[in-house]
């Protein structure tokens, strides 16, 4: 047959069919292995994350007749009610001899609240609430003596930048509810600490005039009278609010 006159079978052969390189049995083994691995992972016990340490606020106070102590206890409840923050109560050392305290009709101290071991305790805290009764418009000598012992902390700047607030007790309405806290700010200033007043964050409770109430924008307060008057619920509620408010400030500073 001439050129182009008919069909000549092609000499090219079709490419051979390449079988799957992965045997069927191997695929089953691999699938089983994956399934088994997922099952083992699901059965493995979950690893617990380490607990995050709580921020620490120290409530350090001096109380002769128990009025400041009453505020401190309620204040601790306010702090502890804020997630991630906890408070510890400490007394400062007494400077008066026992025979003098007896003549002043001062009740014995509650052993359930420990005396602070020294100013070094302050270095590990994240914030502070200091409470004290007034002495002629200033803090009591027992608290001043404690602040006077913080010289090494001042030298090392261990308290610089840490927040602190005050709460007080006075005998009368004009006895220093504001000046007792105001004159104490000098202690914080020299340490480079941050004074945190409560302002009017207590809301309507700051404007009540139907009963006698201690406290001011500087911090919670109580009227002790001749020593026999007990803190009112409003005064205690203000102390609790201050604890909660300070805890919130400490959390914000820690997150900054």
């Amino acid at each position: 047959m001439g050129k182009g006159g008919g069909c000549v079978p092609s000499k090219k052969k079709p490419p051979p069919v390449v079988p799957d390189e992965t045997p069927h049995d191997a695929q089953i083994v691999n699938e089983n292995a994956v399934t088994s691995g997922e099952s083992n992972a699901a059965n493995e016990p979950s690893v617990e994350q380490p607990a995050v340490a709580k921020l620490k606020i120290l409530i350090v106070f001096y109380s002769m007749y128990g009025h400041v102590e009453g505020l401190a206890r309620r204040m601790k409840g306010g702090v502890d009610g804020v997630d991630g923050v906890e408070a510890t109560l400490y007394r400062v050392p007494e400077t008066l001899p026992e025979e003098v305290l007896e003549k002043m009709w001062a009740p014995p101290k509650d052993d359930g609240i420990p005396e602070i071991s020294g100013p070094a305790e302050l270095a590990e805290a994240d914030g502070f609430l200091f409470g004290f009764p007034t002495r002629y418009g200033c803090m009591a000598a027992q608290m001043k003596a404690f602040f006077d012992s913080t010289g090494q902390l001042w030298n090392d700047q261990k308290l610089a930048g840490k927040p602190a607030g005050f709460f007080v007790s006075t005998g009368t309405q004009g006895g220093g509810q504001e000046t007792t806290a105001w004159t104490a700010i000098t202690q914080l200033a020299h340490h480079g600490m941050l004074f945190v007043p409560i302002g009017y964050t207590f809301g309507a409770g700051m404007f009540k005039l139907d009963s006698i109430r201690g406290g001011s924008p500087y911090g919670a307060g109580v009227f002790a009278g001749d020593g026999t008057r007990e803190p009112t619920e409003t005064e205690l509620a203000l102390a609790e609010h201050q604890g909660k408010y300070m805890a919130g400030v400490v959390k914000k500073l820690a997150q900054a």
Side-chain angles (χ1 to χ4, degrees), residues 99-117:
E99 56 269 25
V100 172
L101 292 173
E102 290 177 0
K103 291 179 180 179
M104 297 178 70
W105 303 100
K109 304 290 192 296
D110 182 358
D111 294 335
I113 300 178
E115 186 176 286
I116 193 165
S117 61

Side-chain angles (χ1 to χ4, degrees), residues 172-209:
T172 63
Q173 289 177 290
Q177 285 286 314
E178 292 188 344
T179 59
T180 305
W182 181 67
T183 53
I185 294 175
T186 58
Q187 313 300 312
L188 307 185
H190 282 266
H191 277 286
M193 301 172 75
L194 309 176
F195 174 51
V196 181
I198 58 173
Y200 284 83
T201 59
F202 191 46
M206 294 293 289
F207 299 93
K208 282 188 174 182
L209 298 175

Side-chain angles (χ1 to χ4, degrees), residues 20-53:
D20 189 351
E21 294 178 355
T22 305
H24 180 66
D25 291 344
Q27 288 182 343
I28 295 176
V29 171
N30 290 338
E31 290 174 0
N32 289 339
V34 172
T35 304
S36 176
E38 293 175 351
S39 177
N40 289 339
N43 291 331
E44 288 180 0
S46 59
V47 178
E48 293 186 4
Q49 296 297 324
V52 179

Side-chain angles (χ1 to χ4, degrees), residues 55 57 59 70-89 129 236-251:
L55 297 169
I57 292 178
I59 302 177
L71 297 183
R73 290 180 181 274
R74 189 68 172 263
M75 198 168 285
K76 174 176 167 57
V79 173
D80 293 344
V82 176
D83 186 49
V85 190
E86 64 180 357
T88 302
L89 295 174
L129 288 163
L236 293 172
L238 179 55
E240 183 176 350
H241 168 76
Q242 184 172 4
K244 182 179 179 179
Y245 183 75
M246 175 59 80
V249 170
V250 168
K251 284 188 72 172

Side-chain angles (χ1 to χ4, degrees), residues 141-173:
Q142 290 85 344
M143 180 59 73
K144 183 60 169 63
F146 177 75
F147 272 112
D148 287 348
S149 70
T150 62
Q152 190 61 51
L153 295 177
W154 167 81
N155 184 70
D156 298 336
Q157 291 294 286
K158 292 291 187 180
L159 304 182
K162 295 189 177 185
F166 300 127
F167 56 104
V168 304
S169 171
T170 67
T172 63
Q173 289 177 290

